[in-house]
Amino acid sequence: MSAHTFQAHRPALTTTPALPAPAAASAAAAPAPLPAGGIPAGRDAYAHLSLTRTVPKEFVHRASVAEVLLTDWQPAGEDRFTVSAQWPRGHSFFTPIAGYHDPLIAAETIRQSGLLLAHTEYGVPLDHSFVMHDLTLTLDPAHLHVGTAPAALTIDVTCSDITRRRGRAASLRYTSTLRRDGHILARADASCTCTPPPSTNACAATAPTPPPRPHRTHRTPDRRPHLPTDVVLTPTPHPHTWQLRTDTRHPILFDHPVDHIPGMVLLEAARQATTAHLGHPTLPLTLTTTFTNYAELDTPCHLQTHTTTPITPGHHTTHITCHQNNHPVFHSTITTTTPNHHQHPHPTAPCTPQHPAPGTRHPAPHGTRSTRHHPAPPGQPDPPAPRNPPHPTHQPRPRPRQHTAPHTPTHPQTSPTPSTSTRAHQLSPRAPLPNGHTAPHQDHGPVRATRH
């Protein structure tokens, strides 16, 4: 990662031009004039408003401001911090899954939190890269639903196992608790290493050509028609084995030039391999991933999957391993469920009793006798009482099903082939009577056979 990629150019909003001593004294003594609305004008107006903005994109290693999910942070104790984030209701890549936020947007939020704190609180220069070693993520789908507004998150982060070199962090582990409206949405644990920039510009190397055929996967059940670059797998002749597609044209997964395959690409590949292995849309609930080696851009990577017996009904545990040059790259274990297993019940309308109209009978329960006689409204004759009420054990005979029998014409057709509606109204053949005579030909509509 080159230094100029994440070089911040932001003017200091709190800096005011210097004033001469007399002018400064008079300015301090005289109160600022208030406009008609009673709120100071200019820069001081911001102190009276609650504004939300994203953190600088350089702190989370994003070239696009639209991909920054974090909005603020502040210390909460020794090696403890509070980070705020916001998830959009719709994202160009992390699209909702059956009404739930994509769980991988939580993994991206955790990744950005670690980078933000490393740069701002532990002195890591902006030109350093980060190597993720492991990530464990557990989500509660009860608080993962997409609401009527963007999801506002509060993340409590505790850093530990901090290794410092030259006064700044060289590696650290951070544990996070994501809350939404006071409820715990997810818990995460991750560790990473901070590395200085490479001596050569490895990002200038020519990106490899992606495999030509993407694999058809159920990325999400209700997502828009995905782009070809959204699919990061391609099939192979071997069962439960896929090749990783490293298409550097993707605007989200490859937000900026890199010299290796990013960890979020590998996590997305693990999720897609899980869905392809199970053969139906999935909602990840837990994700545990260990990264063991760099994944190079110019060498094929292959993923293998296998499942284990689920412990919880409706859950599936899939193990994914990735190899490159016969060396392991990462291992991931993902527990998923079918999205409709955790659908939130919609509020139902209260049941309103249906009162029968005057002069009608109450429906009798099946198999019971109903002899109650209901008088008619005034001015109308009473309906006759029911005769021969059904026996309690009497079961009504089911109505026989009818179907149209094929019609065989008795004379050769000389007209063009009739349409379906014309065929349905052809005459039935004449049938012999018991005395041997033939009944006159009548139009009875289509021929029907009744099955008793």
Side-chain angles (χ1 to χ4, degrees):
M1 204 78 58
S2 58
H4 67 275
T5 303
F6 299 115
Q7 184 177 0
H9 298 280
R10 183 178 60 166
L13 298 179
T14 58
T15 302
T16 57
L19 298 176
S26 60
L34 296 178
I39 298 178
R43 181 178 57 84
D44 295 335
Y46 293 104
H48 298 267
L49 300 177
S50 177
L51 302 180
T52 300
R53 62 177 182 266
T54 61
V55 302
K57 59 186 177 62
E58 294 80 8
F59 289 159
V60 296
H61 291 199
R62 278 289 173 250
S64 174
V65 178
E67 300 309 317
V68 180
L69 302 175
L70 308 184
T71 57
D72 199 3
W73 81 98
Q74 60 182 355
E78 185 178 1
D79 296 325
R80 295 174 56 248
F81 309 91
T82 300
V83 181
S84 58
Q86 187 185 79
W87 290 350
R89 297 171 62 191
H91 192 273
S92 60
F93 183 75
F94 300 112
T95 51
I97 304 177
Y100 295 90
H101 285 286
D102 186 354
L104 282 193
I105 198 173
E108 172 64 15
T109 305
I110 297 302
R111 186 197 70 85
Q112 293 188 14
S113 300
L115 272 61
L116 170 70
L117 298 178
H119 286 309
T120 59
E121 302 294 337
Y122 294 100
V124 178
L126 292 177
D127 60 350
H128 280 43
S129 301
F130 289 77
V131 179
M132 185 75 70
H133 294 293
D134 57 82
L135 172 64
T136 300
L137 179 64
T138 303
L139 301 108
D140 184 0
H143 307 293
L144 203 61
H145 62 278
V146 178
T148 58
L153 305 179
T154 301
I155 310 170
D156 298 325
V157 184
T158 301
C159 298
S160 61
D161 300 339
I162 304 172
T163 302
R164 288 179 169 85
R165 185 179 300 115
R166 297 178 182 177
R168 53 177 178 258
S171 64
L172 59 89
R173 174 173 294 279
Y174 55 102
T175 303
S176 307
T177 302
L178 287 72
R179 287 183 171 86
R180 178 185 182 184
D181 298 331
H183 303 284
I184 295 179
L185 169 69
R187 299 180 186 272
D189 184 77
S191 65
C192 62
T193 299
C194 314
T195 61
S199 57
T200 59
N201 190 7
C203 300
T206 303
T209 302
R213 288 190 304 142
H215 183 75
R216 295 177 59 89
T217 61
H218 304 273
R219 263 205 84 228
T220 53
D222 58 350
R223 111 178 228 113
R224 56 162 176 78
H226 56 250
L227 300 174
T229 54
D230 286 353
V231 182
V232 298
L233 299 179
T234 190
T236 66
H238 307 286
H240 306 304
T241 303
W242 295 269
Q243 182 177 343
L244 183 65
R245 302 181 74 246
T246 53
D247 195 338
T248 57
R249 299 171 299 175
H250 198 281
I252 310 300
L253 297 177
F254 290 90
D255 172 77
H256 53 271
V258 291
D259 58 352
H260 62 281
I261 300 176
M264 288 303 300
V265 178
L266 301 179
L267 292 180
E268 177 64 23
R271 185 255 293 275
Q272 292 188 20
T274 299
T275 304
H277 182 96
L278 297 176
H280 57 77
T282 59
L283 180 70
L285 300 178
T286 62
L287 184 148
T288 302
T289 303
T290 302
F291 302 95
T292 54
N293 284 295
Y294 266 111
E296 303 295 340
L297 284 169
D298 55 354
T299 306
C301 288
H302 291 88
L303 289 82
Q304 296 86 27
T305 59
H306 71 276
T307 58
T308 56
T309 303
I311 301 177
T312 304
H315 292 185
H316 304 276
T317 301
T318 306
H319 303 270
I320 307 98
T321 57
C322 179
H323 291 80
Q324 187 178 61
N325 290 331
N326 296 325
H327 296 288
V329 175
F330 76 92
H331 174 81
S332 184
T333 302
I334 302 180
T335 300
T336 60
T337 184
T338 305
N340 56 13
H341 283 183
H342 285 279
Q343 289 292 341
H344 293 278
H346 297 283
T348 56
C351 179
T352 303
Q354 299 295 332
H355 299 285
T360 58
R361 303 171 186 169
H362 291 280
H366 180 70
T368 61
R369 185 188 300 249
S370 176
T371 58
R372 183 177 179 181
H373 180 65
H374 298 272
Q380 297 183 8
D382 291 343
R387 295 183 301 174
N388 300 327
H391 193 272
T393 59
H394 172 71
Q395 299 292 338
R397 177 179 296 180
R399 185 177 180 180
R401 294 185 301 175
Q402 298 180 348
H403 64 88
T404 302
H407 172 66
T408 304
T410 57
H411 302 285
Q413 296 181 356
T414 59
S415 60
T417 303
S419 63
T420 305
S421 60
T422 305
R423 289 178 179 176
H425 293 84
Q426 288 179 343
L427 303 179
S428 61
R430 290 177 290 178
L433 296 178
N435 57 5
H437 299 282
T438 303
H441 195 68
Q442 298 180 357
D443 186 1
H444 297 284
V447 179
R448 296 185 181 274
T450 304
R451 183 180 301 172
H452 296 283

